């Protein structure tokens, strides 16, 4: 069954990046090391490999503008060319406007971006990322699940995933996968 799923790697102290938008560690990528242990994606095995493989099966992406711009919109192609929807309060810059046909800036809110992504994804999941985008999606009731990759590191500061929420939001644990590199916890958002 199709779902809108937030996928985020997070430090034990709740950060998704350092204050300067890196992901921790000497190479600036500590929070994503679980995905390619030792720099080798083939090192993943079992359930962790299947979990990482979910990203190859998505039908659309909804991401925050900050993330998209930091990544230069992934050159307009992320996860096998699926459509990328970016909720924003202002129009896209030139590269996203003319150079990246898979990228759509949605100027009328997160709920609209999620609806467009769901329509584009068909029966496949929508991959959601970004702290502000996740917070707004939860607030507007358009996020179905949260997949957290809890990394055994304390960043000590930076950007938090759930900094501001409108109210308490109940979750149900769906699955927990423990590996030497991360604890992966899947939650269903209860409505």
């Amino acid at each position: 069954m199709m779902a809108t799923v937030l996928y985020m790697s997070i430090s034990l102290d709740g950060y998704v990046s350092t204050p300067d938008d890196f992901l921790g560690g000497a190479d600036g990528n500590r929070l994503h090391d679980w995905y390619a242990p030792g720099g080798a994606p083939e090192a993943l095995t079992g359930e962790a490999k299947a979990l990482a493989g979910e990203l190859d099966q998505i039908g659309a992406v909804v991401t925050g503008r900050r993330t998209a711009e930091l990544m230069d919109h992934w050159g307009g192609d992320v996860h096998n060319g699926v459509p990328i929807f970016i909720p924003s309060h202002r129009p896209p810059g030139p590269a996203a406007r003319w150079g990246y046909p898979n990228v759509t800036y949605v100027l009328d809110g997160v709920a609209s971006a999620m609806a467009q992504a769901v329509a584009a994804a068909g029966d496949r999941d929508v991959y959601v990322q970004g702290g502000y985008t996740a917070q707004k999606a939860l607030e507007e009731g358009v996020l179905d699940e949260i997949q957290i990759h809890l990394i055994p590191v304390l960043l000590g500061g930076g950007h938090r995933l759930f900094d501001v929420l409108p109210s308490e939001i109940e979750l149900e644990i769906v699955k927990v996968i423990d590996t030497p590199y991360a604890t992966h916890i899947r939650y269903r958002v209860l409505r």
Side-chain angles (χ1 to χ4, degrees), residues 104-118:
T104 301
Y105 271 67
V106 179
L107 302 179
D108 58 345
V110 171
S112 177
M114 294 287 273
Q116 291 178 52
V118 166

PDB file of all heavy atoms in Angstrom, residues 104-118:
ATOM      1  N   THR A 104       9.762  20.229  -9.526  1.00  0.00           N
ATOM      2  CA  THR A 104       8.607  21.122  -9.527  1.00  0.00           C
ATOM      3  C   THR A 104       8.554  21.858  -8.201  1.00  0.00           C
ATOM      4  O   THR A 104       8.500  21.233  -7.137  1.00  0.00           O
ATOM      5  CB  THR A 104       7.296  20.331  -9.709  1.00  0.00           C
ATOM      6  OG1 THR A 104       7.352  19.615 -10.937  1.00  0.00           O
ATOM      7  CG2 THR A 104       6.092  21.257  -9.701  1.00  0.00           C
ATOM      8  N   TYR A 105       8.601  23.173  -8.260  1.00  0.00           N
ATOM      9  CA  TYR A 105       8.408  23.986  -7.064  1.00  0.00           C
ATOM     10  C   TYR A 105       6.907  24.196  -6.897  1.00  0.00           C
ATOM     11  O   TYR A 105       6.215  24.573  -7.836  1.00  0.00           O
ATOM     12  CB  TYR A 105       9.126  25.323  -7.198  1.00  0.00           C
ATOM     13  CG  TYR A 105      10.555  25.263  -6.715  1.00  0.00           C
ATOM     14  CD1 TYR A 105      11.494  24.498  -7.387  1.00  0.00           C
ATOM     15  CD2 TYR A 105      10.957  25.951  -5.583  1.00  0.00           C
ATOM     16  CE1 TYR A 105      12.801  24.426  -6.950  1.00  0.00           C
ATOM     17  CE2 TYR A 105      12.265  25.889  -5.131  1.00  0.00           C
ATOM     18  CZ  TYR A 105      13.182  25.122  -5.816  1.00  0.00           C
ATOM     19  OH  TYR A 105      14.476  25.045  -5.368  1.00  0.00           O
ATOM     20  N   VAL A 106       6.423  23.935  -5.691  1.00  0.00           N
ATOM     21  CA  VAL A 106       5.001  24.049  -5.383  1.00  0.00           C
ATOM     22  C   VAL A 106       4.841  25.227  -4.437  1.00  0.00           C
ATOM     23  O   VAL A 106       5.320  25.191  -3.300  1.00  0.00           O
ATOM     24  CB  VAL A 106       4.474  22.742  -4.752  1.00  0.00           C
ATOM     25  CG1 VAL A 106       3.000  22.865  -4.419  1.00  0.00           C
ATOM     26  CG2 VAL A 106       4.741  21.555  -5.673  1.00  0.00           C
ATOM     27  N   LEU A 107       4.169  26.251  -4.902  1.00  0.00           N
ATOM     28  CA  LEU A 107       4.095  27.503  -4.158  1.00  0.00           C
ATOM     29  C   LEU A 107       2.863  27.628  -3.269  1.00  0.00           C
ATOM     30  O   LEU A 107       2.690  28.634  -2.597  1.00  0.00           O
ATOM     31  CB  LEU A 107       4.163  28.686  -5.131  1.00  0.00           C
ATOM     32  CG  LEU A 107       5.416  28.716  -6.015  1.00  0.00           C
ATOM     33  CD1 LEU A 107       5.375  29.906  -6.960  1.00  0.00           C
ATOM     34  CD2 LEU A 107       6.680  28.719  -5.184  1.00  0.00           C
ATOM     35  N   ASP A 108       2.008  26.581  -3.244  1.00  0.00           N
ATOM     36  CA  ASP A 108       0.798  26.680  -2.428  1.00  0.00           C
ATOM     37  C   ASP A 108       0.779  25.692  -1.266  1.00  0.00           C
ATOM     38  O   ASP A 108      -0.264  25.212  -0.860  1.00  0.00           O
ATOM     39  CB  ASP A 108      -0.463  26.575  -3.284  1.00  0.00           C
ATOM     40  CG  ASP A 108      -0.537  25.284  -4.081  1.00  0.00           C
ATOM     41  OD1 ASP A 108       0.488  24.588  -4.214  1.00  0.00           O
ATOM     42  OD2 ASP A 108      -1.629  24.966  -4.575  1.00  0.00           O
ATOM     43  N   GLY A 109       1.946  25.373  -0.710  1.00  0.00           N
ATOM     44  CA  GLY A 109       2.009  24.630   0.536  1.00  0.00           C
ATOM     45  C   GLY A 109       2.436  23.181   0.443  1.00  0.00           C
ATOM     46  O   GLY A 109       2.456  22.563  -0.619  1.00  0.00           O
ATOM     47  N   VAL A 110       2.769  22.667   1.620  1.00  0.00           N
ATOM     48  CA  VAL A 110       3.244  21.287   1.741  1.00  0.00           C
ATOM     49  C   VAL A 110       2.147  20.294   1.374  1.00  0.00           C
ATOM     50  O   VAL A 110       2.408  19.304   0.693  1.00  0.00           O
ATOM     51  CB  VAL A 110       3.778  21.028   3.166  1.00  0.00           C
ATOM     52  CG1 VAL A 110       4.071  19.552   3.385  1.00  0.00           C
ATOM     53  CG2 VAL A 110       5.040  21.849   3.421  1.00  0.00           C
ATOM     54  N   ALA A 111       0.916  20.539   1.797  1.00  0.00           N
ATOM     55  CA  ALA A 111      -0.179  19.609   1.481  1.00  0.00           C
ATOM     56  C   ALA A 111      -0.342  19.479  -0.029  1.00  0.00           C
ATOM     57  O   ALA A 111      -0.548  18.377  -0.543  1.00  0.00           O
ATOM     58  CB  ALA A 111      -1.478  20.050   2.136  1.00  0.00           C
ATOM     59  N   SER A 112      -0.234  20.571  -0.745  1.00  0.00           N
ATOM     60  CA  SER A 112      -0.346  20.535  -2.201  1.00  0.00           C
ATOM     61  C   SER A 112       0.832  19.765  -2.814  1.00  0.00           C
ATOM     62  O   SER A 112       0.647  18.957  -3.725  1.00  0.00           O
ATOM     63  CB  SER A 112      -0.407  21.953  -2.771  1.00  0.00           C
ATOM     64  OG  SER A 112      -0.452  21.917  -4.178  1.00  0.00           O
ATOM     65  N   ALA A 113       2.035  20.014  -2.309  1.00  0.00           N
ATOM     66  CA  ALA A 113       3.212  19.284  -2.811  1.00  0.00           C
ATOM     67  C   ALA A 113       3.061  17.786  -2.575  1.00  0.00           C
ATOM     68  O   ALA A 113       3.371  16.966  -3.449  1.00  0.00           O
ATOM     69  CB  ALA A 113       4.485  19.807  -2.150  1.00  0.00           C
ATOM     70  N   MET A 114       2.551  17.422  -1.390  1.00  0.00           N
ATOM     71  CA  MET A 114       2.353  16.003  -1.079  1.00  0.00           C
ATOM     72  C   MET A 114       1.286  15.399  -1.982  1.00  0.00           C
ATOM     73  O   MET A 114       1.454  14.284  -2.485  1.00  0.00           O
ATOM     74  CB  MET A 114       1.980  15.832   0.393  1.00  0.00           C
ATOM     75  CG  MET A 114       3.095  16.210   1.342  1.00  0.00           C
ATOM     76  SD  MET A 114       4.435  15.023   1.393  1.00  0.00           S
ATOM     77  CE  MET A 114       3.815  13.926   2.632  1.00  0.00           C
ATOM     78  N   ALA A 115       0.201  16.109  -2.233  1.00  0.00           N
ATOM     79  CA  ALA A 115      -0.863  15.601  -3.108  1.00  0.00           C
ATOM     80  C   ALA A 115      -0.334  15.383  -4.519  1.00  0.00           C
ATOM     81  O   ALA A 115      -0.641  14.367  -5.154  1.00  0.00           O
ATOM     82  CB  ALA A 115      -2.049  16.563  -3.109  1.00  0.00           C
ATOM     83  N   GLN A 116       0.458  16.318  -5.019  1.00  0.00           N
ATOM     84  CA  GLN A 116       1.032  16.164  -6.357  1.00  0.00           C
ATOM     85  C   GLN A 116       2.001  14.986  -6.407  1.00  0.00           C
ATOM     86  O   GLN A 116       2.037  14.234  -7.387  1.00  0.00           O
ATOM     87  CB  GLN A 116       1.731  17.462  -6.774  1.00  0.00           C
ATOM     88  CG  GLN A 116       0.761  18.594  -7.028  1.00  0.00           C
ATOM     89  CD  GLN A 116       1.460  19.884  -7.391  1.00  0.00           C
ATOM     90  OE1 GLN A 116       2.293  19.906  -8.284  1.00  0.00           O
ATOM     91  NE2 GLN A 116       1.112  20.965  -6.689  1.00  0.00           N
ATOM     92  N   ALA A 117       2.779  14.812  -5.347  1.00  0.00           N
ATOM     93  CA  ALA A 117       3.719  13.690  -5.302  1.00  0.00           C
ATOM     94  C   ALA A 117       2.991  12.352  -5.236  1.00  0.00           C
ATOM     95  O   ALA A 117       3.366  11.395  -5.908  1.00  0.00           O
ATOM     96  CB  ALA A 117       4.654  13.846  -4.104  1.00  0.00           C
ATOM     97  N   VAL A 118       1.924  12.285  -4.436  1.00  0.00           N
ATOM     98  CA  VAL A 118       1.126  11.054  -4.341  1.00  0.00           C
ATOM     99  C   VAL A 118       0.545  10.706  -5.708  1.00  0.00           C
ATOM    100  O   VAL A 118       0.591   9.552  -6.144  1.00  0.00           O
ATOM    101  CB  VAL A 118       0.016  11.208  -3.270  1.00  0.00           C
ATOM    102  CG1 VAL A 118      -1.013  10.099  -3.382  1.00  0.00           C
ATOM    103  CG2 VAL A 118       0.637  11.227  -1.870  1.00  0.00           C
TER     104      VAL A 118
END
